[in-house]
Amino acid sequence: MSEQGFNFIGGRWVPGDTGRTFEDRNPADRDDVVGMFPLSSAADVDAAVSAARDAFPAWAATPAPERGKIIWAAGRLMEARKDELAATATREMGKILLETRGDVQEGIDTAYYMGGEARRMFGVTTPSELPSKFAMSVRRPLGVAAIISPWNFPMAIPTWKIFPALLCGNAVVFKPASDAPATAYALVRILEEAGVPPGVVNLVFGSGSEAGTALVEHPEVDVVSFTGSTETGRRLGESCGRRLKRLSLELGGKNPQIVMADADLDLALEGAVWAAFGTTGQRCTATSRLIVHRPVLEEFTARLVQRAGALRLGDGLDPATDVGPLVSDAARERVAEYVRIGLEDDGAELLVGGSAPSEGVFDRGSFFEPTVFAGVTPTMRIAQEEIFGPVVSILAVDSFEEAIAVANGTRYGLSSSIYTRDVNAAFRAIERIDAGITYVNGPTIGAEVHLPFGGTRDTGNGHRESGTEVLNVFSEWKSVYVDYSERLQRAQIDTGLPGAAAGGASRGDSGEEAPQGSTPESISGSFGAEGGE
Ligand code: NAP
């Protein structure tokens, strides 16, 4: 058995406790087994968390620029192996090579960004309200970080989490998605090669229900960073809430692209095709609602249908393919079910796609045709629920106001986009769309690693990944006050004396007596009724 069949705990590749395994299969060709991986138990998770706990103090004490060098080295290894990593990711989760290369590139960019951040990680220094007193804030690591990732960005999402967690000085236990274990294995091999000390990164394969639950509930885990469905995220929220455990959630989306009558229609069309059908519609930021101003509805719809119908479905490893398979047969069944639901909705019209081709090579994979519904109204289930497949709905609107209302009319708030040439409308949209990301004249996909990433409402719980915002997930702020006045100074104590509201400000730095008889003794001798803490 190759090392793919092992967990990585305390710097060693070890078999799972129970000997049970699961298969990783190619969704474009079910006969192709990518690898076998352990179905880890709670005992495996416990061993990984213990190893992380043991490794944490030395890693936390390692200067951040030294930690950054290792992250940087991992980026260089990823760059050297980009094609190989992309091919592995395509083979196990299906999206086309162009996109898995982009997925790996996002990981490389994150490595270099976080490696560079190692020499910043800025806190603040700020004036104290009292004389001869210095005030600053510094970041501290939390301890053991649990990383739970989905399969749709098998390289980028784990790096968004693991690199900042390591940079901040935490030790990591990583439980990747069961549909993308081989890419996770390759990433951890790279971290090992880059010089991450034993126990600082641990990898535990297995199911969400068993290994994932054990990890989230483990008392020695200090922070959980999760990306996945809103349903799972809600369960984790309940579990972590009971334990007062820090939890960062990046969840689902139902992302709108607004197309106004004054838009550059060619551009709006390019954006819609890319964002609705890229990654076979399995991006949290995929466009699933096209909100189209009625004057351009007919033309836009006709052209979209033509473009969607012309996309070439196939194996993502074939450079001629535009759209790869869905990740699994279960995912395909879920998408087919939503198409059935759409067909039953009064007024919704299936214009193209809607089927799972099964002839020839399609017989062996989880393929589904790019699908467009028109005549969809905002309350229909296909306009409300995340389908996570190549299905897009067109909703007609009569005004900008209505477009904004429809865009905001779901429980999600991840990404959004507006195509318009009216600069005032663009800025009003930026102001009024309730989402974590808004693009103007660009598709709903394409986030860059140095800006915050995340969403509002049911898309998460207020945290952000990427940018420097992610450091707030993986570190704790400590405020530090250094008083070099050589006497007791008390903040926020009102002495009742004019000019002495900042109690203790009775002497200047020169040590001269303050006016109006306020002496250090007279202040320190009486405990004020007001205090900050
Ligand atoms: P999922 O079913 O929620 O799974 C995500 C991860 O959680 C997997 O590793 C899964 O393990 C694990 N898991 C499942 N149940 C668990 C539990 N009870 N306790 C702990 N871990 C558990 O989501 P998915 O289907 O893989 O991913 C698709 C969803 O992710 C979509 O809703 C998409 O919008 C969302 N997503 C969001 C973002 C974002 O940044 N906002 C980015 C990408 C994807 P198994 O694989 O073993 O089940």
Side-chain angles (χ1 to χ4, degrees), residues 1-250:
M1 195 178 348
S2 79
E3 282 164 340
Q4 275 195 28
F6 291 81
N7 290 324
F8 187 60
I9 297 177
R12 293 188 314 120
W13 293 94
V14 291
D17 175 51
T18 64
R20 288 179 293 140
T21 55
F22 66 95
E23 283 177 348
D24 180 24
R25 284 186 185 260
N26 181 345
D29 178 0
R30 277 179 230 101
D31 296 339
D32 177 21
V33 178
V34 180
M36 301 287 288
F37 296 86
L39 259 178
S40 303
S41 66
D44 296 312
V45 169
D46 189 50
V49 174
S50 298
R53 178 57 61 192
D54 291 347
F56 167 62
W59 182 245
T62 304
E66 293 302 313
R67 299 196 295 255
K69 276 185 201 162
I70 294 176
I71 296 169
W72 191 278
R76 275 204 302 271
L77 288 167
M78 289 169 72
E79 205 162 14
R81 292 176 200 167
K82 185 170 168 179
D83 288 340
E84 187 190 319
L85 293 167
T88 299
T90 292
R91 200 174 144 214
E92 71 174 348
M93 57 70 65
K95 68 184 175 187
I96 61 173
L97 276 177
L98 179 77
E99 293 188 62
T100 45
R101 284 175 58 82
D103 191 335
V104 176
Q105 186 58 48
E106 224 169 298
I108 297 165
D109 294 343
T110 302
Y112 292 155
Y113 180 61
M114 283 296 148
E117 187 56 27
R119 285 187 183 270
R120 287 184 293 269
M121 291 180 74
F122 296 138
V124 296
T125 58
T126 182
S128 164
E129 65 187 49
L130 296 170
S132 302
K133 193 173 176 187
F134 191 87
M136 62 185 166
S137 61
V138 293
R139 289 188 188 277
R140 305 186 73 232
L142 297 166
V144 177
I147 306 296
I148 301 180
S149 58
W151 45 266
N152 66 336
F153 277 82
M155 184 57 86
I157 291 177
T159 63
W160 287 2
K161 297 174 184 299
I162 294 173
F163 293 166
L166 294 177
L167 172 67
C168 289
N170 303 286
V172 161
V173 179
F174 172 30
K175 206 278 323 154
S178 301
D179 282 322
T183 312
Y185 164 79
L187 172 62
V188 172
R189 284 295 299 220
I190 281 174
L191 284 164
E192 181 189 16
E193 241 179 276
V196 172
V200 171
V201 171
N202 303 276
L203 172 64
V204 181
F205 296 105
S207 73
S209 54
E210 190 172 356
T213 301
L215 184 56
V216 170
E217 294 182 354
H218 200 291
E220 292 289 325
V221 165
D222 300 283
V223 55
V224 177
S225 176
F226 171 84
T227 298
S229 64
T230 295
E231 288 61 39
T232 310
R234 206 181 293 283
R235 275 203 292 281
L236 265 58
E238 288 164 7
S239 166
C240 291
R242 276 197 299 278
R243 294 168 175 80
L244 296 180
K245 193 174 282 189
R246 187 181 294 199
L247 170 69
S248 165
L249 296 173
E250 297 293 341

Side-chain angles (χ1 to χ4, degrees), residues 222-290:
D222 300 283
V223 55
V224 177
S225 176
F226 171 84
T227 298
S229 64
T230 295
E231 288 61 39
T232 310
R234 206 181 293 283
R235 275 203 292 281
L236 265 58
E238 288 164 7
S239 166
C240 291
R242 276 197 299 278
R243 294 168 175 80
L244 296 180
K245 193 174 282 189
R246 187 181 294 199
L247 170 69
S248 165
L249 296 173
E250 297 293 341
L251 309 174
K254 190 71 189 171
N255 311 290
Q257 174 183 316
I258 297 172
V259 182
M260 295 306 295
D262 66 352
D264 176 336
L265 272 202
D266 294 338
L267 198 62
L269 191 68
E270 288 299 324
V273 171
W274 175 230
F277 304 120
T279 314
T280 322
Q282 302 166 109
R283 287 191 187 218
C284 52
T285 50
T287 295
S288 57
R289 295 180 296 149
L290 286 163

Side-chain angles (χ1 to χ4, degrees), residues 400-422:
F400 172 82
E401 292 300 321
E402 190 184 353
I404 299 291
V406 171
N408 286 340
T410 72
R411 65 183 178 131
Y412 298 108
L414 182 49
S415 189
S416 57
S417 140
I418 182 166
Y419 282 78
T420 177
R421 289 191 173 103
D422 176 347

Side-chain angles (χ1 to χ4, degrees), residues 332 355-365 367 369:
R332 181 169 64 169
S355 303
S358 57
E359 312 228 315
V361 289
F362 294 131
D363 183 38
R364 297 207 303 272
F367 295 94
E369 295 166 349

